Amino acid sequence: MQSPDQPVLRDIVLVGGGHSHVGVLKSFGMNPVPGVRLTLICRDTDTPYSGMLPGYIAGHYSHDDVHIDLNTLAAFAGARFFRDEVIGLDRAAGKVICRNRPPVPYDSLSINIGSAPQIGQVPGAADHAVAVKPIHLFNERWLALLARVQQHAGKTRIAVVGAGAGGVELTLAMQHRLRGELRALGRDPNELAFHLFSNTADILPTHNPRVRQTFKRVLTERQVVLHLNSEVTQVSERGIKTSDGTLMEMDEIVWVTQAGGATWLRQTGLALDEHGFIQVNDHLQSISDPAVFAAGDIAAFTSRPLPKAGVFAVRQGKPLAANLRRSVLGEPLVSYRPQRNWLALISTGDRFAVASRGALSWQGEWVWRWKDWIDRRFMDKFQNFPAMDASAMGQAAPSRVKLDQEEAAQAISAIAMRCGGCGAKVGATVLSRALGALQPIHRDDVLIGLHAPDDAAVVRVPPGKAMVHSVDFFRAFIDDPYLFGKVAANHALGDIFAMGGEAQSATAVATVPSGLEAKVEDVLFQMMTGAVEVLNEAGCALVGGHTGEGKELALGFAINGLVDEDLHTVLKKGGMRAGDVLLLTKPIGTGTLFAAHARLKTRGRWIDAALVSMIQSNRLGAQCLQAHGATACTDLTGFGLLGHLVEMTRPSGVDAELYLSALPLLDGALETSAAGILSSLQPANVRLRRALRNQAEAIAHPAYPLIFDPQTAGGLLASVPAARADACIAALRKLGYHHTVAIGRILPQGDALEPIVLKC
């Protein structure tokens, strides 16, 4: 992993989570390069292993069995994981263009995105066929198709277009699974009719005659209708048309042919072949740009054509990792030597498989068991990670990255003893460039701000308004500065919204690790872009701030808000009344989840869901609570649910009953807390258990530890009159707070010293 003591000197960016790139990530995790930062950009957190995908479709494997968690793998590799879709390159500036975030700079770039369906060449196919490629999108399409077949009354006719190994294996896997599903529903499996279309005179053209004959026999035995020399020329809602003019009605059409390169590659200026794949030399390096590498299906190996088979992508991982290292170290590149013959293990849907290598062939249940063993061993490399020596990582060797004279001087400065005081500020040039591209919202009541910088901002307080002040600051807990900026700004705004205020202005305080000026500038720009997007959406003007160097990335904001000066509309903590219903607008569990993420003990989709929750603003929620007569409100942050509830009951002079079973929880929070993985702040929060009247009865409840879990950018905890609670919950859910639920009720204050009653 990247040592925080090592300044970032070079950026390697990986686009796509294909089989080659997972090998690169594992390699860098085992042997990092000091001064080199790795960034993975991929639109999906889970990437499927193609070798096990037919087994998953057939029902032999679970989703997690066949998917690699890129978020966790990237964390092991010390890489930043940016979940986004790449839509272009600015090669002149050395930047990757993403759909939903600022451009990402690179020194070396690798592309491993697989192939994309070219079904647009066949009229109607894009609208009416289910494309297998790109493979990372197939799961959602497969689940939708599965549901449609289950719900389809009567006979279902399924066409698979493409009779290579992928099409044949997919046909048999789908048939095996769907027949089983119909049996489970008490329906006749023979309601299914499968048709396999090949535009050539045979199936499996890259395999030997014995293999082809075996699969022809299997297809015949399973009553799959084989259409040879039948090129599909048109697809409609009702079915397909072939080159000889034959029209056939079909209910579902799966497309497993005519794959090519992603359309955005055509605008990059990279040399592509006739199918849109990136042409690469023996070093897996673009023949037109030495800073760009490509591997897997997206690469067109110029020395000789290679089949689009996963075995090549897997084996390209090792030389690709070596060449990415060598490219930033200024060392000679190594050559990739593809094998002439390769082993293909093709399953027949059930637990039976055929082995194919050159002119050789074997088959049987033992071949399937052999394939299963190979596949599981491959997946284990990316699902179970060796423990890394933290002390060794912190004492990484000096960087050998190749730098020019100016960069070398900056690098020496970055690793030298750093000054304190104002000497720790980020340089004015870097700061002005990073912030110059930001566009904070304009407000008429901001008299002096970033549009005309001075020693301090000047903000007018409108007549009849009073100021609400709040400040928050914390270090980064994720490697994505753009998302971190969003969360930090949202968290800081939470106190203003929880009091029913309008956010007016924000002043930022940031620390950024030292490094080359370009690297510091980009991190600051990424982070502040995310933050300004959130502030602008809230109508809050960024008016200034301070940026300095620090060991870790950190960000905070002092927020000024406005409320009516008579305070009648202010939501305070102390207004709870007996009989009120206690509401919570977001699920809890961020503390345990991110503690587990740091230990590689989470699933990436859990972290994705947590970040979605953390980025959701509380602004509309607070307005809704006000409109429904909320009597008290606060936002959940570091003290956890119990700590903030105690902060409300004490000044209100009431007790509260908390329903443990009703608590909305983030996916994975129960699993990580049950494993004993808790936030470092948890022990301090647990001391508040003295406020619990009957904890001995509730301590065994699985949600019990989570009432102490510190939250970042958590939801709103509010009391609402019972008569208006249901309407308030419905309104909040309609606004997008889908997890809003009643988690308790407010009681009259009793004689006991413990104000909180737990109910399981």
Side-chain angles (χ1 to χ4, degrees), residues 150-175:
Q150 290 170 327
Q151 297 163 11
H152 189 273
K155 198 171 187 65
T156 301
R157 298 154 299 189
I158 300 175
V160 178
V161 181
V168 170
E169 195 171 24
L170 182 65
T171 298
L172 294 171
M174 291 170 57
Q175 186 190 53

Side-chain angles (χ1 to χ4, degrees), residues 161 197-200 227-232 242-244 248:
V161 181
F197 291 82
S198 172
N199 62 356
T200 64
H227 303 269
L228 300 178
N229 289 317
S230 296
E231 181 181 2
V232 175
T242 58
S243 53
D244 62 1
M248 283 172 275

Side-chain angles (χ1 to χ4, degrees), residues 270-548:
L270 293 171
L272 309 177
D273 71 3
E274 67 273 20
H275 301 295
F277 298 119
I278 302 170
Q279 293 184 300
V280 297
N281 59 23
D282 289 354
H283 308 309
L284 300 175
Q285 185 180 44
S286 166
I287 64 173
S288 56
D289 189 337
V292 178
F293 295 79
D297 284 2
I298 197 61
F301 198 61
T302 54
S303 293
R304 67 179 176 93
L306 296 178
K308 301 300 182 183
V311 63
F312 293 102
V314 169
R315 295 195 180 187
Q316 286 168 0
K318 185 175 180 179
L320 178 62
N323 284 337
L324 288 170
R325 293 173 188 273
R326 289 168 175 266
S327 69
V328 295
L329 296 175
E331 298 176 353
L333 304 183
V334 301
S335 294
Y336 161 64
R337 303 297 185 193
Q339 63 271 38
R340 287 289 172 182
N341 293 312
W342 71 97
L343 176 67
L345 300 174
I346 311 169
S347 61
T348 59
D350 50 4
R351 295 174 184 266
F352 188 97
V354 178
S356 172
R357 180 180 172 87
L360 303 177
S361 173
W362 309 269
Q363 58 184 278
E365 293 180 357
W366 69 271
V367 177
W368 192 92
R369 291 193 297 270
W370 181 30
K371 171 178 168 56
D372 177 65
W373 177 79
I374 292 173
D375 290 340
R376 289 185 184 275
R377 188 176 65 164
F378 174 81
M379 290 296 292
D380 186 69
K381 296 177 184 178
F382 306 104
Q383 294 178 332
N384 296 292
F385 304 105
M388 303 299 289
D389 185 345
S391 61
M393 289 189 293
Q395 299 173 2
S399 173
R400 296 182 289 117
V401 172
K402 185 178 181 181
L403 304 170
D404 62 30
Q405 187 173 1
E406 180 180 352
E407 290 174 328
Q410 291 182 22
I412 292 172
S413 173
I415 62 177
M417 183 177 293
R418 309 304 293 165
C419 294
C422 278
K425 282 186 174 182
V426 170
T429 302
V430 172
L431 193 60
S432 63
R433 285 199 303 256
L435 301 183
L438 301 179
Q439 296 181 332
I441 195 171
H442 173 76
R443 288 182 61 110
D444 292 338
D445 49 10
V446 175
L447 306 181
I448 297 178
L450 285 183
H451 62 284
D454 214 305
D455 289 336
V458 178
V459 180
R460 179 193 299 119
V461 180
K465 295 291 185 180
M467 297 295 296
V468 186
H469 298 278
S470 181
V471 64
D472 271 296
F473 179 86
F474 48 78
R475 63 187 181 90
F477 55 94
I478 51 174
D479 288 325
D480 185 337
Y482 173 72
L483 279 183
F484 172 58
K486 281 180 170 285
V487 173
N490 202 35
H491 182 89
L493 289 165
D495 286 335
I496 304 299
F497 298 144
M499 294 196 73
E502 168 201 349
Q504 183 191 33
S505 63
T507 308
V509 179
T511 60
V512 185
S514 59
L516 295 183
E517 286 186 356
K519 309 304 180 186
V520 174
E521 177 185 332
D522 178 66
V523 169
L524 186 57
F525 172 69
Q526 297 266 343
M527 181 172 68
M528 293 309 300
T529 296
V532 167
E533 287 178 5
V534 170
L535 294 172
N536 285 355
E537 191 275 334
C540 182
L542 179 68
V543 295
H546 174 90
T547 303

Side-chain angles (χ1 to χ4, degrees), residues 23-298:
V24 170
L25 289 165
K26 185 68 179 286
S27 174
F28 273 77
M30 298 298 294
N31 185 20
V33 181
V36 174
R37 180 171 59 193
L38 207 60
T39 302
L40 171 66
I41 308 175
C42 189
R43 58 158 288 166
D44 293 296
T45 297
D46 294 323
T47 188
Y49 171 47
S50 61
M52 297 178 78
L53 197 62
Y56 164 68
I57 292 168
H60 305 314
Y61 301 118
S62 70
H63 177 276
D64 289 335
D65 286 336
V66 306
H67 283 81
I68 296 170
D69 185 332
L70 294 176
N71 200 322
T72 302
L73 178 58
F76 167 76
R80 304 186 300 179
F81 177 57
F82 295 174
R83 188 181 178 194
D84 208 331
E85 181 182 4
V86 172
I87 58 174
L89 297 180
D90 181 348
R91 288 170 50 217
K95 292 184 177 181
V96 178
I97 311 302
C98 301
R99 186 173 298 282
N100 300 306
R101 60 174 305 119
V104 181
Y106 65 86
D107 297 292
S108 290
L109 173 70
S110 181
I111 303 174
N112 182 209
I113 56 175
S115 53
Q118 304 296 298
I119 58 179
Q121 299 171 4
V122 177
D127 297 323
H128 304 294
V130 175
V132 172
K133 297 291 183 78
I135 194 171
H136 65 277
L137 298 179
F138 178 68
N139 184 53
E140 59 189 65
R141 298 186 179 116
W142 158 244
L143 294 177
L145 186 151
L146 179 62
R148 289 197 300 271
V149 171
Q150 290 170 327
Q151 297 163 11
H152 189 273
K155 198 171 187 65
T156 301
R157 298 154 299 189
I158 300 175
V160 178
V161 181
V168 170
E169 195 171 24
L170 182 65
T171 298
L172 294 171
M174 291 170 57
Q175 186 190 53
H176 179 82
R177 173 70 177 278
L178 292 173
R179 286 177 66 88
E181 293 290 336
L182 291 187
R183 287 192 194 97
L185 293 171
R187 291 166 56 185
D188 181 3
N190 292 320
E191 291 178 10
L192 294 167
F194 275 85
H195 296 255
L196 180 61
F197 291 82
S198 172
N199 62 356
T200 64
D202 216 333
I203 63 173
L204 299 163
T206 60
H207 295 273
N208 65 62
R210 186 177 173 187
V211 172
R212 291 198 290 270
Q213 195 59 40
T214 295
F215 276 97
K216 282 182 179 178
R217 174 180 54 79
V218 172
L219 291 167
T220 300
E221 290 174 353
R222 301 191 187 173
Q223 299 179 349
V224 175
V225 181
L226 186 58
H227 303 269
L228 300 178
N229 289 317
S230 296
E231 181 181 2
V232 175
T233 57
Q234 187 173 346
V235 179
S236 68
E237 187 177 2
R238 298 189 61 186
I240 61 178
K241 180 180 180 180
T242 58
S243 53
D244 62 1
T246 302
L247 295 171
M248 283 172 275
E249 292 189 355
M250 296 290 164
D251 300 296
E252 300 289 346
I253 301 167
V254 181
W255 206 267
V256 200
T257 189
Q258 292 181 316
T263 55
W264 62 265
L265 288 170
R266 301 170 193 164
Q267 310 303 319
T268 62
L270 293 171
L272 309 177
D273 71 3
E274 67 273 20
H275 301 295
F277 298 119
I278 302 170
Q279 293 184 300
V280 297
N281 59 23
D282 289 354
H283 308 309
L284 300 175
Q285 185 180 44
S286 166
I287 64 173
S288 56
D289 189 337
V292 178
F293 295 79
D297 284 2
I298 197 61

Side-chain angles (χ1 to χ4, degrees), residues 642 645-646 649 655-656 658 691-694 754-758:
L642 180 63
L645 182 55
V646 169
T649 57
D655 290 356
L658 191 62
L692 301 173
R693 192 174 305 172
N694 59 332
E754 303 88 356
I756 310 298
V757 181
L758 294 181

